[in-house]
Amino acid sequence: MALVLIDIDDGVATVTLNHPEVRNAVSLDMNRELDSAFDALEADTSVGAVVLTGTPPAFSAGANLNELLSAADPEGLNSIYAGFLRVAHTPLPTVAAVNGAAVGAGMNFALACDVIVAGRKAMFESRFLQIAIHPGGGHTWRLRNICDRQTAMAMVLFGERLDGPRAAEIGLAWKCVDDDALLEEARRMAGRPARAPRELTMAMKQTIFDMGSVADSEAAVAREVEPQAWSMTQPEFKQKVAALKEAISKSS
């Protein structure tokens, strides 16, 4: 059985974690399939964005416990983290469609994506403290970057769980939608960058990440000026501007 399913439609690749018998728990085999999947998607120039989801009933319910128990060293732990880090480090725009439990290492899959869309049945839980293990894979850093210190404290240290509506309320998810509309909404959002020039969306994504270490306005302007100048030399920009000028002239 394939542990990772891929469906490509109109430039959007839907990547589905597919081990429902164990609620799509993170495993080394799944990580290897994810690595191959993203290698293929990044090499396929027809793919402009990715939606990540899980086969019901869960998004991903954490790490494979047997593999976790045997991974008590940095090398072993990095192998467990490899799957969601592959998602986190892809240059393609990514949307997590969280359709159920996203727990521990499984929550990291959602945090690894650029945008999270939650279904009403979504459930976000850190759960590291509950099994007496320190968070890993950048869990606390990603959570603090997406939300704030208090949210990270409440979830990681105090064991608070969030459903889909609450996750959207505090900004962990961009929005919460009805469960039967979740994939459609995630694909709709992913379709926007998928229809845009691929190199441009990847450059924009990298710029947004780089801005995390920029401290002032002057440095921000300097970081953006070269890619912006490059984008203005591309044929798509000239075509869009010409179309806009024509539309303005017709309306005046």
Side-chain angles (χ1 to χ4, degrees):
M1 179 183 70
L3 298 177
V4 175
L5 305 178
I6 303 173
D7 176 70
I8 300 173
D9 182 36
D10 198 22
V12 175
T14 301
V15 175
T16 304
L17 308 177
N18 184 49
H19 201 175
E21 294 83 359
V22 293
R23 299 170 65 82
N24 308 320
V26 182
S27 67
L28 300 180
D29 287 339
M30 179 181 284
N31 287 345
R32 283 188 282 268
E33 291 190 27
L34 273 169
D35 191 46
S36 297
F38 274 85
D39 282 349
L41 294 175
E42 290 167 10
D44 185 348
T45 57
S46 73
V47 174
V50 177
V51 170
L52 181 70
T53 193
T55 298
F59 180 74
S60 178
N64 178 294
L65 294 179
N66 290 330
E67 292 179 351
L68 184 62
L69 285 170
S70 64
D73 60 77
E75 183 177 356
L77 290 170
N78 285 332
S79 296
I80 289 175
Y81 304 149
F84 54 79
L85 291 178
R86 186 66 182 84
V87 176
H89 298 158
T90 183
L92 295 170
T94 54
V95 179
V98 181
N99 57 317
V103 178
M107 183 173 161
N108 280 355
F109 272 119
L111 297 175
C113 292
D114 301 322
V115 172
I116 297 172
V117 180
R120 297 194 182 279
K121 290 181 181 177
M123 190 275 287
F124 300 86
E125 184 177 9
S126 180
R127 202 181 284 182
F128 289 96
L129 182 63
Q130 286 85 327
I131 62 170
I133 185 175
H134 192 281
H139 182 85
T140 54
W141 176 77
R142 295 182 199 285
L143 187 54
R144 279 205 63 178
N145 276 347
I146 293 172
C147 298
D148 55 25
R149 186 182 69 180
Q150 180 167 251
T151 299
M153 290 290 187
M155 295 190 73
V156 175
L157 199 55
F158 293 89
E160 290 291 300
R161 299 192 301 179
L162 305 180
D163 61 13
R166 178 61 174 157
E169 181 183 343
I170 67 168
L172 176 59
W174 173 246
K175 62 175 66 174
C176 177
V177 300
D178 291 340
D179 296 298
D180 58 3
L182 176 62
L183 269 180
E184 179 182 358
E185 177 60 16
R187 288 169 177 155
R188 183 194 66 79
M189 289 184 64
R192 291 171 175 165
R195 290 189 294 271
R198 196 173 193 246
E199 290 187 23
L200 178 60
T201 60
M202 292 193 294
M204 286 178 167
K205 176 172 175 171
Q206 186 59 53
T207 296
I208 293 169
F209 276 117
D210 290 349
M211 285 300 174
S213 60
V214 170
D216 55 55
S217 175
E218 289 80 4
V221 172
R223 173 61 184 82
E224 290 181 343
V225 68
E226 288 191 13
Q228 186 178 49
W230 163 81
S231 69
M232 294 172 70
T233 67
Q234 302 304 299
E236 293 87 353
F237 171 74
K238 296 175 182 178
Q239 292 164 7
K240 295 288 186 183
V241 170
L244 180 59
K245 289 173 66 176
E246 183 178 356
I248 291 172
S249 65
K250 286 181 178 179
S251 65
S252 60

